[in-house]
Amino acid sequence: MRILYQLLVVLFMMLQGAAGEPLVPGPEYSCLAQNGRCFPGICRRPYYWIGTCYNGFSCCRRYVEV
């Protein structure tokens, strides 16, 4: 039964690889996905803080004037 479980896991990983999907999405792109940039320290003008980057830096986004 244990071998069957391992074979299913390997099959699942192969199917994800064939589909071009990453096995585990990485957190390093979460700041970029929010249109932000990683800065060491705090966010300074014209940026404001929106989160933390994967390396501990601040994820900052630029103010948008409308």
Side-chain angles (χ1 to χ4, degrees):
M1 191 65 171
R2 185 173 176 174
I3 293 173
L4 179 63
Y5 172 74
Q6 289 177 348
L7 287 174
L8 287 174
V9 169
V10 169
L11 178 65
F12 177 71
M13 290 173 57
M14 287 174 52
L15 288 176
Q16 275 194 325
E21 296 292 324
L23 186 60
V24 178
E28 60 268 7
Y29 299 111
S30 63
C31 187
L32 267 168
Q34 299 177 44
N35 294 328
R37 293 179 54 190
C38 296
F39 289 104
I42 62 173
C43 302
R44 307 240 184 241
R45 286 188 182 168
Y47 296 94
Y48 65 97
W49 186 83
I50 58 173
T52 305
C53 295
Y54 70 98
N55 55 3
F57 287 0
S58 296
C59 182
C60 308
R61 184 186 303 167
R62 183 176 273 243
Y63 285 113
V64 177
E65 298 287 329
V66 179

